[in-house]
Amino acid sequence: MRSGKISESVLTRSVLRKIKTERKEVVCGAGIGVDCAVLSFDDGEDSVFSTNPVSAPADMVCVYGVNRALNNVAAAGAEPVGILLSAMLPEELEEKELQNMMAQAEEICSRYHVQIAGGHTEVTGAVRQPVLTVTGIGKRKKEDVSGRSVKPGQDVVVSKWLGLDGTVRIAREHRTELLTRYPARMIEEAAGFEQFFSVIPEAATARKSGVCGIHDVSQGGIFGALWELANGAGVGLEIDLKKLPVRQETIEICEFFNLNPYELSSAGCLLMTSEDGNALAAALEKEGIPAVVVGKTTDGNDRVLYNEEERRFLEPPKTDALYKTGMKEE
């Protein structure tokens, strides 16, 4: 199989159909476009879990992994309260690098009052760079703000910019190549997009501002997230391609490697639906979070992208564009 996220058909055929055992406590389990498991124990709150594996250089692996896990939990309408870290480390890794990894994880967790609750650390010759699995743990009241609330006729809203973490990875890991065409200032600016990785603030604001559905944009980019949101809710889409927000640095870097920015890993970007998208976007903007209405959900199965007079159909998620640069599978 190819590197990256497996296709929807393989996921359905070889993973989801093999899951047979059910329990009443699991109110939301594995499924297409579902990033978290939700458990309910009849105490007025649900427990929310999300697992994210990441392979990356030691100086950034916790930044990617911890943010993604916390983002998944926040997008499910929950308050992140803890994480579990499982790290497989290469033999060449120095103890000082491990210390720096944990310092990064703790800094992110401290920022959002989240506890590192446990995990596992192992050195193995089976990996060439750190492989980190982060399990995010959260709690939420039983009111549901997941994709089940997405209905036809709602506005589709996107926060911040697409392709953020893909841009950071390429800028950091392909700096020498990029410097042959672009100034160092631009590459440094792109590498600094990690400051935008968390969606916890916008998820909290959205929950208070009339959001109906929330989906964290990650691997597969905005195209993948749009498909997963629509497929999970059973709605169609009409999306204006030109309204999808993207930084110029991302466009330039994608052009250098001949990548589609709309299929590039996009942690830090939140996809939402609302009965009044302009009001939701205004509430986010008031908190200093860029947001824009990019289209509508529709009654039907067609997921349509408009680019001025051009009309095309959205396709099922593809392998993340990040892997076309030669980076390792996450």
Side-chain angles (χ1 to χ4, degrees), residues 58-59 62 95-105:
D59 64 340
C62 285
E95 184 177 353
K96 182 64 176 177
E97 293 178 280
L98 174 59
Q99 292 175 354
N100 291 338
M101 286 171 55
M102 290 306 301
Q104 280 187 334

Side-chain angles (χ1 to χ4, degrees), residues 84-122:
L84 302 175
L85 294 175
S86 177
M88 305 290 283
L89 307 175
E91 295 172 338
E92 309 82 52
L93 193 83
E94 301 289 339
E95 184 177 353
K96 182 64 176 177
E97 293 178 280
L98 174 59
Q99 292 175 354
N100 291 338
M101 286 171 55
M102 290 306 301
Q104 280 187 334
E106 174 58 28
E107 192 279 327
I108 297 168
C109 288
S110 175
R111 193 183 311 159
Y112 301 107
H113 193 50
V114 171
Q115 181 175 338
I116 300 176
H120 173 78
T121 309
E122 180 177 333

